[in-house]
Short mmCIF file of all heavy atoms in Angstrom, two decimals:
data_model
loop_
_atom_site.label_atom_id
_atom_site.label_comp_id
_atom_site.label_asym_id
_atom_site.label_seq_id
_atom_site.Cartn_x
_atom_site.Cartn_y
_atom_site.Cartn_z
N TYR A 1 43.81 124.52 40.32
CA TYR A 1 43.24 123.28 39.80
C TYR A 1 43.27 123.16 38.18
O TYR A 1 43.57 122.24 37.75
CB TYR A 1 41.71 123.19 40.25
CG TYR A 1 41.03 121.93 39.79
CD1 TYR A 1 41.21 120.80 40.58
CD2 TYR A 1 40.19 121.94 38.68
CE1 TYR A 1 40.59 119.61 40.30
CE2 TYR A 1 39.60 120.68 38.31
CZ TYR A 1 39.76 119.54 39.04
OH TYR A 1 39.15 118.42 38.63
N ASP A 2 42.86 124.24 37.56
CA ASP A 2 42.87 124.28 36.04
C ASP A 2 44.22 123.97 35.50
O ASP A 2 44.46 123.81 34.27
CB ASP A 2 42.27 125.35 35.46
CG ASP A 2 42.88 126.70 35.91
OD1 ASP A 2 43.65 126.74 36.75
OD2 ASP A 2 42.54 127.76 35.21
N GLU A 3 45.31 124.23 36.26
CA GLU A 3 46.73 123.94 35.69
C GLU A 3 47.21 122.48 36.01
O GLU A 3 48.33 122.15 35.69
CB GLU A 3 47.65 124.95 36.45
CG GLU A 3 47.37 126.37 35.89
CD GLU A 3 48.43 127.36 36.40
OE1 GLU A 3 49.44 126.93 36.97
OE2 GLU A 3 48.11 128.53 36.42
N LEU A 4 46.41 121.66 36.74
CA LEU A 4 46.90 120.33 37.02
C LEU A 4 46.83 119.33 35.97
O LEU A 4 47.56 118.36 35.98
CB LEU A 4 45.97 119.78 38.23
CG LEU A 4 46.16 120.47 39.54
CD1 LEU A 4 45.09 119.92 40.52
CD2 LEU A 4 47.55 120.24 40.07
N GLY A 5 46.10 119.66 34.87
CA GLY A 5 46.10 118.71 33.79
C GLY A 5 45.51 117.36 34.17
O GLY A 5 44.56 117.30 34.85
N THR A 6 46.21 116.36 33.82
CA THR A 6 45.61 114.90 34.03
C THR A 6 45.78 114.57 35.57
O THR A 6 44.97 113.76 36.02
CB THR A 6 46.49 113.97 33.29
OG1 THR A 6 47.84 114.15 33.53
CG2 THR A 6 46.31 114.02 31.82
N LEU A 7 46.57 115.32 36.30
CA LEU A 7 46.55 115.07 37.72
C LEU A 7 45.24 115.44 38.34
O LEU A 7 44.85 114.87 39.53
CB LEU A 7 47.61 115.90 38.37
CG LEU A 7 49.07 115.49 38.19
CD1 LEU A 7 50.11 116.39 38.77
CD2 LEU A 7 49.34 114.01 38.64
N ALA A 8 44.38 116.38 37.66
CA ALA A 8 43.09 116.72 38.18
C ALA A 8 42.23 115.44 38.21
O ALA A 8 41.31 115.40 39.04
CB ALA A 8 42.43 117.87 37.40
N LEU A 9 42.55 114.40 37.44
CA LEU A 9 41.60 113.28 37.52
C LEU A 9 41.70 112.50 38.78
O LEU A 9 40.67 111.94 39.22
CB LEU A 9 42.11 112.27 36.41
CG LEU A 9 41.83 112.86 34.89
CD1 LEU A 9 42.49 111.80 33.93
CD2 LEU A 9 40.39 112.93 34.63
N LEU A 10 42.76 112.65 39.56
CA LEU A 10 42.94 112.08 40.75
C LEU A 10 42.00 112.54 41.80
O LEU A 10 41.51 111.84 42.78
CB LEU A 10 44.39 112.19 41.36
CG LEU A 10 45.52 111.58 40.62
CD1 LEU A 10 46.88 112.07 41.18
CD2 LEU A 10 45.33 110.06 40.68
N ALA A 11 41.50 113.75 41.65
CA ALA A 11 40.49 114.32 42.54
C ALA A 11 39.13 113.68 42.44
O ALA A 11 38.28 113.65 43.26
CB ALA A 11 40.32 115.80 42.23
N HIS A 12 38.88 112.87 41.40
CA HIS A 12 37.68 112.19 41.10
C HIS A 12 37.69 110.73 41.53
O HIS A 12 36.68 110.06 41.45
CB HIS A 12 37.32 112.25 39.65
CG HIS A 12 37.15 113.63 39.16
ND1 HIS A 12 36.00 114.45 39.52
CD2 HIS A 12 37.94 114.42 38.36
CE1 HIS A 12 36.17 115.66 38.99
NE2 HIS A 12 37.33 115.84 38.32
N ILE A 13 38.83 110.25 42.02
CA ILE A 13 38.91 108.94 42.52
C ILE A 13 38.29 108.77 43.94
O ILE A 13 38.58 109.65 44.81
CB ILE A 13 40.30 108.41 42.63
CG1 ILE A 13 40.95 108.28 41.32
CG2 ILE A 13 40.42 107.04 43.28
CD1 ILE A 13 42.41 108.05 41.26
N PRO A 14 37.31 107.91 44.26
CA PRO A 14 36.71 107.81 45.51
C PRO A 14 37.74 107.65 46.63
O PRO A 14 38.60 106.93 46.57
CB PRO A 14 35.78 106.59 45.42
CG PRO A 14 35.57 106.37 43.91
CD PRO A 14 36.82 106.81 43.31
N GLN A 15 37.58 108.38 47.74
CA GLN A 15 38.54 108.34 48.84
C GLN A 15 38.71 107.01 49.36
O GLN A 15 39.69 106.57 49.74
CB GLN A 15 38.13 109.26 49.93
CG GLN A 15 38.25 110.81 49.67
CD GLN A 15 37.98 111.61 50.79
OE1 GLN A 15 37.78 111.20 51.89
NE2 GLN A 15 38.12 112.98 50.58
N GLU A 16 37.59 106.29 49.47
CA GLU A 16 37.75 104.90 50.04
C GLU A 16 38.59 103.98 49.19
O GLU A 16 39.19 103.05 49.73
CB GLU A 16 36.37 104.22 50.36
CG GLU A 16 35.44 104.21 49.09
CD GLU A 16 34.69 105.42 48.91
OE1 GLU A 16 34.69 106.43 49.71
OE2 GLU A 16 33.89 105.54 47.95
N ALA A 17 38.55 104.16 47.89
CA ALA A 17 39.41 103.44 46.98
C ALA A 17 40.89 103.73 47.17
O ALA A 17 41.79 102.87 47.14
CB ALA A 17 38.98 103.64 45.54
N VAL A 18 41.24 104.97 47.42
CA VAL A 18 42.48 105.51 47.59
C VAL A 18 43.12 105.11 48.94
O VAL A 18 44.21 104.68 49.12
CB VAL A 18 42.58 106.99 47.47
CG1 VAL A 18 44.01 107.49 47.69
CG2 VAL A 18 42.28 107.41 45.91
N ARG A 19 42.25 105.32 50.02
CA ARG A 19 42.65 105.07 51.39
C ARG A 19 43.24 103.61 51.60
O ARG A 19 44.23 103.49 52.40
CB ARG A 19 41.34 105.30 52.38
CG ARG A 19 41.71 105.30 53.79
CD ARG A 19 40.47 105.56 54.59
NE ARG A 19 39.98 106.84 54.21
CZ ARG A 19 38.68 107.03 53.83
NH1 ARG A 19 37.85 105.99 53.73
NH2 ARG A 19 38.21 108.22 53.48
N ASP A 20 42.76 102.61 50.92
CA ASP A 20 43.30 101.32 51.23
C ASP A 20 44.38 100.85 50.22
O ASP A 20 44.87 99.74 50.41
CB ASP A 20 42.13 100.32 51.03
CG ASP A 20 41.04 100.50 52.16
OD1 ASP A 20 41.38 100.90 53.18
OD2 ASP A 20 39.86 100.27 51.72
N ASN A 21 44.84 101.74 49.23
CA ASN A 21 45.89 101.37 48.38
C ASN A 21 47.17 101.35 49.17
O ASN A 21 47.55 102.29 49.81
CB ASN A 21 45.92 102.46 47.29
CG ASN A 21 46.96 102.22 46.30
OD1 ASN A 21 48.21 102.41 46.56
ND2 ASN A 21 46.62 101.65 45.25
N PRO A 22 47.98 100.26 48.96
CA PRO A 22 49.23 100.03 49.75
C PRO A 22 50.20 101.34 49.51
O PRO A 22 51.01 101.68 50.51
CB PRO A 22 49.80 98.82 49.29
CG PRO A 22 48.68 98.13 48.69
CD PRO A 22 47.63 99.14 48.19
N ASP A 23 50.30 101.74 48.23
CA ASP A 23 51.27 102.88 48.00
C ASP A 23 50.77 104.10 48.61
O ASP A 23 51.63 104.89 49.15
CB ASP A 23 51.31 103.05 46.48
CG ASP A 23 51.88 101.79 45.71
OD1 ASP A 23 52.69 101.24 46.43
OD2 ASP A 23 51.56 101.63 44.60
N VAL A 24 49.54 104.38 48.67
CA VAL A 24 48.97 105.61 49.35
C VAL A 24 49.19 105.53 50.92
O VAL A 24 49.66 106.44 51.57
CB VAL A 24 47.51 105.83 49.03
CG1 VAL A 24 46.95 106.95 49.88
CG2 VAL A 24 47.28 106.07 47.62
N VAL A 25 49.11 104.35 51.45
CA VAL A 25 49.34 104.13 52.88
C VAL A 25 50.85 104.32 53.21
O VAL A 25 51.17 105.00 54.11
CB VAL A 25 48.92 102.68 53.35
CG1 VAL A 25 49.46 102.34 54.79
CG2 VAL A 25 47.36 102.48 53.25
N ALA A 26 51.79 103.86 52.19
CA ALA A 26 53.20 103.98 52.59
C ALA A 26 53.56 105.46 52.54
O ALA A 26 54.33 106.00 53.25
CB ALA A 26 53.99 103.23 51.42
N VAL A 27 53.11 106.19 51.46
CA VAL A 27 53.38 107.67 51.41
C VAL A 27 52.79 108.47 52.54
O VAL A 27 53.40 109.31 53.09
CB VAL A 27 52.88 108.23 50.00
CG1 VAL A 27 53.12 109.68 49.93
CG2 VAL A 27 53.78 107.56 48.81
N SER A 28 51.59 108.09 52.94
CA SER A 28 51.00 108.69 54.12
C SER A 28 51.88 108.53 55.43
O SER A 28 51.90 109.50 56.25
CB SER A 28 49.60 108.17 54.37
OG SER A 28 48.72 108.51 53.30
N ALA A 29 52.49 107.43 55.51
CA ALA A 29 53.27 107.10 56.71
C ALA A 29 54.49 108.08 56.69
O ALA A 29 55.17 108.43 57.69
CB ALA A 29 53.71 105.70 56.70
N LEU A 30 54.93 108.47 55.49
CA LEU A 30 56.08 109.44 55.41
C LEU A 30 55.77 110.79 56.11
O LEU A 30 56.73 111.46 56.57
CB LEU A 30 56.49 109.70 54.07
CG LEU A 30 56.99 108.52 53.23
CD1 LEU A 30 57.31 108.87 51.77
CD2 LEU A 30 58.20 108.01 53.92
N ALA A 31 54.49 111.07 56.24
CA ALA A 31 54.25 112.38 56.85
C ALA A 31 54.70 112.50 58.29
O ALA A 31 54.82 113.40 58.92
CB ALA A 31 52.70 112.63 56.83
N GLU A 32 54.76 111.24 58.88
CA GLU A 32 55.30 111.16 60.16
C GLU A 32 56.82 111.45 60.31
O GLU A 32 57.30 111.82 61.50
CB GLU A 32 54.90 109.80 60.85
CG GLU A 32 53.41 109.53 60.89
CD GLU A 32 53.08 108.16 61.31
OE1 GLU A 32 54.08 107.45 61.80
OE2 GLU A 32 51.99 107.71 61.14
N ARG A 33 57.48 111.30 59.35
CA ARG A 33 58.90 111.62 59.30
C ARG A 33 59.28 112.58 58.15
O ARG A 33 59.48 112.06 56.97
CB ARG A 33 59.66 110.31 59.21
CG ARG A 33 59.39 109.31 60.32
CD ARG A 33 60.33 108.16 60.20
NE ARG A 33 61.61 108.60 60.00
CZ ARG A 33 62.65 107.68 59.99
NH1 ARG A 33 62.58 106.45 60.39
NH2 ARG A 33 63.88 108.19 59.73
N PRO A 34 59.26 113.89 58.38
CA PRO A 34 59.47 114.83 57.33
C PRO A 34 60.76 114.63 56.56
O PRO A 34 60.82 114.91 55.47
CB PRO A 34 59.56 116.19 58.11
CG PRO A 34 58.79 115.85 59.28
CD PRO A 34 59.03 114.47 59.76
N GLU A 35 61.84 114.17 57.18
CA GLU A 35 63.09 113.78 56.43
C GLU A 35 62.89 112.80 55.30
O GLU A 35 63.50 112.83 54.37
CB GLU A 35 64.24 113.52 57.34
CG GLU A 35 64.11 112.23 58.22
CD GLU A 35 63.24 112.33 59.39
OE1 GLU A 35 62.67 113.35 59.77
OE2 GLU A 35 63.23 111.23 60.13
#
């Protein structure tokens, strides 16, 4: 965690705010297709 730098800030974003973001939804859908 201490090596993440500014990416560590993402851990402080509320999950409900992230869950509904269209970009997050699109990347999450990629998990269904590993390729």
Side-chain angles (χ1 to χ4, degrees):
Y1 181 83
D2 61 342
E3 293 180 14
L4 291 175
T6 56
L7 288 176
L9 294 173
L10 294 174
H12 300 286
I13 297 174
Q15 286 186 6
E16 54 276 356
V18 175
R19 190 176 300 123
D20 296 329
N21 180 283
D23 294 331
V24 173
V25 171
V27 171
S28 294
L30 293 176
E32 297 173 16
R33 296 188 47 172
E35 64 276 7

